[in-house]
Amino acid sequence: MSNEVIFFGVFALFIILMLALDLGLFNKKDQPVSLKQAGIMSAIWVSCAIGFYFLLRVQGHILHDIQDEAHLVEVVQKNQHNIVLNGTSFEENLIKYKNNLSLEFITGYVIEYALSVDNIFVMVLIFSAFGVKEKYYHRVLFWGILGAVIMRFLFIFIGATLISKFGWILYLFGAFLIYSGIMMFINREGEDEIDPENHKVVKLASKFFPVYPDFVGNKFFHKVDGKQYITPLFLVLLIIEFTDVIFAVDSIPAIFAVTKDPYIVFFSNIFAILGLRSMFFLLVNVIHKFHYLKTGLAFLLVFIGIKMLGHHYLKEWGFTTAHSLYIIIGILVISVVASLAFPKKEKTIY
């Protein structure tokens, strides 16, 4: 059994335990998640991500079981790490590799976490459009994000396989991210709306399953006279899963701009996704205040797209993973500060 499989298995076990802890501590019964609970879980997930960063920084070589210089060079070339192995010894080069690996992880994590905020905007709209009671938010998001973890696993490792076989796909990803960023900027002031009756997911699900007209507590399914129905709450879950797939089309290629190591892409992606639920409850009532965030995310996508298209030139110019992290954090900080410094004027109704 390879080190990658063992490392991945331990990571999966850790995630399962954390999700069990989350479900057990904060969802013993259906009730709204308090700001305090959301703050605690957000702090725990962020702390786990930071802890994982330091684990990679100290023991990152165990992921691919790097034991000598030849294997180190092979791993660096295979995953196209943005480092030059010019140390005087294997130990020095290994330290450089681990430092870069940890930076790739935390940069990918910040990108995914930032892009997840846009997902929160849509989640709020979905819950509001369907009239979901606040006490059921946690249940829907728990199963929704669990499904997202599985979907992202498939997306990431399929994407990594395609990149390894067809290197030109990176340029396609880069062009797509620039397009997505431009469209996000153009539509940044648009009022998003969700029509529960005419949503594509609702129409599709209705063709295959009978839909019960009313919510039945926290149930996703309801049986009447021996006939099984799906409830409106299950439709909400399906729409959230569909929405995550749409967002993954942007976020996963964005992380591949930072690292080509599929394991690092997956780890950074999953830590951010698992922290999304608690971040939702933390920001749900104040998310509208960060009105410049979409503008910042648009610039973020364009920057990452440009980096993908010109990664060879940037590498020659000495552009490192750390530089990417500084620019990404700078864009996000400016967006948040601008939102708070220049609050959006409320429309006056006469």
Side-chain angles (χ1 to χ4, degrees):
M1 187 179 292
S2 67
N3 266 40
E4 287 95 342
V5 173
I6 296 173
F7 199 101
F8 188 87
V10 172
F11 179 81
L13 180 61
F14 168 75
I15 295 303
I16 291 171
L17 291 175
M18 286 297 297
L19 285 173
L21 176 67
D22 185 0
L23 190 63
L25 286 181
F26 300 106
N27 200 30
K28 292 180 179 179
K29 58 182 180 178
D30 291 319
Q31 60 183 9
V33 175
S34 69
L35 190 64
K36 180 181 178 181
Q37 289 174 324
I40 291 173
M41 280 311 300
S42 293
I44 289 174
W45 280 118
V46 171
S47 298
C48 286
I50 294 174
F52 195 78
Y53 161 80
F54 283 108
L55 174 64
L56 292 175
R57 197 172 184 87
V58 177
Q59 298 291 336
H61 62 286
I62 66 175
L63 173 59
H64 299 296
D65 193 24
I66 299 174
Q67 300 291 339
D68 53 49
E69 186 79 24
H71 191 197
L72 175 59
V73 172
E74 179 187 344
V75 170
V76 169
Q77 291 177 345
K78 178 183 177 182
N79 295 310
Q80 303 177 40
H81 292 295
N82 189 21
I83 54 173
V84 179
L85 300 177
N86 56 3
T88 58
S89 67
F90 168 62
E91 287 73 21
E92 287 185 9
N93 282 332
L94 193 61
I95 290 173
K96 182 180 291 188
Y97 165 77
K98 290 187 290 187
N99 289 345
N100 183 73
L101 195 70
S102 58
L103 270 178
E104 288 179 350
F105 164 76
I106 205 67
T107 303
Y109 172 73
V110 170
I111 290 173
E112 179 61 41
Y113 215 35
L115 292 175
S116 294
V117 175
D118 198 32
N119 210 344
I120 291 176
F121 281 106
V122 179
M123 287 179 179
V124 172
L125 288 172
I126 293 170
F127 284 133
S128 176
F130 280 83
V132 178
K133 292 183 180 179
E134 192 175 342
K135 64 181 181 178
Y136 300 137
Y137 286 4
H138 188 285
R139 175 173 169 78
V140 174
L141 291 177
F142 178 88
W143 292 107
I145 289 175
L146 192 61
V149 170
I150 298 171
M151 291 299 297
R152 302 237 170 174
F153 170 81
L154 296 174
F155 278 15
I156 288 168
F157 285 93
I158 290 173
T161 302
L162 290 174
I163 290 172
S164 65
K165 292 182 178 295
F166 311 103
W168 53 266
I169 285 182
L170 284 175
Y171 297 103
L172 188 63
F173 283 168
F176 177 75
L177 289 175
I178 291 174
Y179 170 78
S180 296
I182 292 173
M183 293 307 297
M184 182 181 287
F185 181 79
I186 292 173
N187 299 318
R188 67 191 185 282
E189 299 295 341
E191 295 294 332
D192 296 317
E193 293 183 0
I194 293 177
D195 185 350
E197 294 183 2
N198 296 313
H199 195 282
K200 293 179 180 179
V201 173
V202 173
K203 288 185 174 181
L204 183 62
S206 300
K207 289 181 179 180
F208 295 97
F209 306 101
V211 180
Y212 198 71
D214 301 310
F215 287 94
V216 186
N218 67 354
K219 293 182 179 180
F220 291 134
F221 305 96
H222 183 55
K223 184 176 286 188
V224 179
D225 297 330
K227 186 176 182 180
Q228 189 75 268
Y229 291 82
I230 61 173
T231 67
L233 197 66
F234 186 73
L235 289 176
V236 172
L237 175 61
L238 289 178
I239 293 173
I240 285 179
E241 292 286 8
F242 174 77
T243 301
D244 182 73
V245 170
I246 300 301
F247 276 97
V249 173
D250 282 341
S251 64
I252 291 176
I255 300 180
F256 273 115
V258 175
T259 177
K260 310 301 181 297
D261 188 326
Y263 292 96
I264 299 301
V265 175
F266 181 75
F267 297 148
S268 59
N269 206 281
I270 296 310
F271 268 117
I273 286 298
L274 291 173
L276 173 61
R277 186 174 63 263
S278 53
M279 184 169 64
F280 170 88
F281 292 108
L282 201 61
L283 299 180
V284 63
N285 294 318
V286 296
I287 192 71
H288 63 281
K289 294 183 181 296
F290 301 109
H291 55 284
Y292 282 119
L293 195 55
K294 278 200 172 184
T295 301
L297 294 178
F299 278 99
L300 177 62
L301 287 174
V302 171
F303 161 70
I304 296 170
I306 293 173
K307 182 177 181 295
M308 253 180 168
L309 293 178
H311 64 280
H312 287 302
Y313 298 104
L314 291 172
K315 188 174 182 179
E316 290 177 2
W317 296 338
F319 194 87
T320 65
T321 306
H323 293 135
S324 295
L325 180 59
Y326 300 150
I327 292 174
I328 291 164
I329 291 177
I331 290 172
L332 296 175
V333 169
I334 290 172
S335 302
V336 172
V337 171
S339 298
L340 298 177
F342 306 101
K344 191 173 184 178
K345 293 181 180 179
E346 299 292 336
K347 293 180 180 179
T348 304
I349 302 176
Y350 295 96

